[in-house]
Each structure stands twice: as structure tokens, then as C-alpha cells.
Amino acid sequence: SPWGSTGYDEDSPDITPKPKLSLGFEYEENDTRVKDTHGLYKLGSEYHTRGYDLMFRYWRVTAYGECFDRTSTTYDDRQTSFTGVNAQVGFLAIPRRLELFLGYWGFDPNTANRVNALIERGVGVNWYFSGNNNNKLQADYRRFHDDATNKSTYELRCQYQIVF
């Protein structure tokens, strides 16, 4: 966070007077393979996951993005790679009251097979009753597309959040 913390808790209904940027990288290795009495793997998989994220806030704009890339290797050396992405941009139309946002979310369960990704695109709105995340109404409209079936579905969601 070279210009100070952007905060990762939730969207902010406040104007950010100076640019704020946070960048992140993560790596995970998890080996669940089990060996038999001869020292050969008999079941399980080994996973290597890399993740990257970015948060940027300035004035009335918030941009957030993350992606991950995972490779799994089974006990018999079969490999599969998959990726995921999450990106969202929000704009405070009325500070401390109304935020509009656009989002893109995707998951590809097997990057070797280019026709199996699941993609979401959406638009939404947050209404802050008390000027913070403790009392807000959220609504969004999303399109889900499944490359494997070449079919799309649509979803309208609405939720009320109260924190006490």
C-alpha cells in the first residue's frame, strides 16, 4: 500500500481525497497425496495456487480486482490448471448515500479446454441509509454465461444489510 491503506473490509461510501493503492500476491502449496508401503503415490493431489489482487480508491471511484491460477497434479501425474477472476468498479453518485457499480467475474475449471468457462457480468447499486455499511440496501442484475452449454441465465438480487 504505497499511498496508505485502501481498506479491504467493504466498499466505502466516503470520498477518498487522495489516491490509495494496495497490491497483493499470494502463493499456496498443498500436497494431499498419500504414498503406499513401496513409496509410490496411491491417491490424492498436489495443488499450487498463485493469486494477485489490486484495490484502488480515488475521489468517488473504487476499483477492485483479483485473479488466481491453480495447478493440480494427481497421484498418477495428471495435471489440470484452472483460473478465476473478479473485477469491480464502483462510482459514488451521491457520497455517503448512493454507489453504482459494474462487475465481471469468471471461472475456468480447465484452462486446457477453452469452451468450459463460467462468466458473470453485472451492474448494481448500493444505497447507504446511515452513510456507512451498517445499514444499506444492495441490488444487482447479472448475466451468467456457461461456455460449455452456450446458455445464459439472468439474475436480479436484492439484499438488505444491517450490522449491530
Side-chain angles (χ1 to χ4, degrees), residues 76-131:
D76 55 356
D77 283 333
R78 288 179 288 131
Q79 273 198 344
T80 304
S81 293
F82 45 100
T83 59
V85 65
N86 168 19
Q88 191 166 308
V89 175
F91 178 76
L92 288 170
I94 304 172
R96 304 194 53 79
R97 287 290 176 232
L98 179 68
E99 179 186 36
L100 308 172
F101 66 87
L102 299 170
Y104 174 89
W105 306 271
F107 175 68
D108 188 344
N110 184 349
T111 56
N113 180 356
R114 291 291 177 193
V115 293
N116 64 348
L118 304 168
I119 305 295
E120 294 178 49
R121 290 180 176 91
V123 298
V125 60
N126 290 319
W127 179 261
Y128 304 95
F129 291 101
S130 57

Side-chain angles (χ1 to χ4, degrees), residues 144-155:
F144 297 87
H145 184 76
D146 185 339
D147 281 348
T149 63
N150 198 30
K151 292 189 178 178
S152 294
T153 57
Y154 299 87
E155 175 181 87

Side-chain angles (χ1 to χ4, degrees), residues 6-8 10-12 16 20-23 53-66 86-92 99-102:
T6 60
Y8 270 95
E10 284 192 57
D11 51 339
S12 175
T16 305
K20 303 282 185 170
L21 173 69
S22 291
L23 301 169
D53 63 76
L54 169 137
M55 171 72 87
F56 177 76
R57 294 181 196 261
Y58 181 56
W59 188 57
R60 295 179 182 215
V61 175
T62 299
Y64 173 77
E66 66 180 336
N86 168 19
Q88 191 166 308
V89 175
F91 178 76
L92 288 170
E99 179 186 36
L100 308 172
F101 66 87
L102 299 170

Side-chain angles (χ1 to χ4, degrees), residues 23-36:
L23 301 169
F25 171 75
E26 65 215 43
Y27 178 78
E28 173 196 4
E29 184 175 332
N30 188 4
D31 192 347
T32 63
R33 296 175 296 174
V34 177
K35 292 183 179 180
D36 63 16

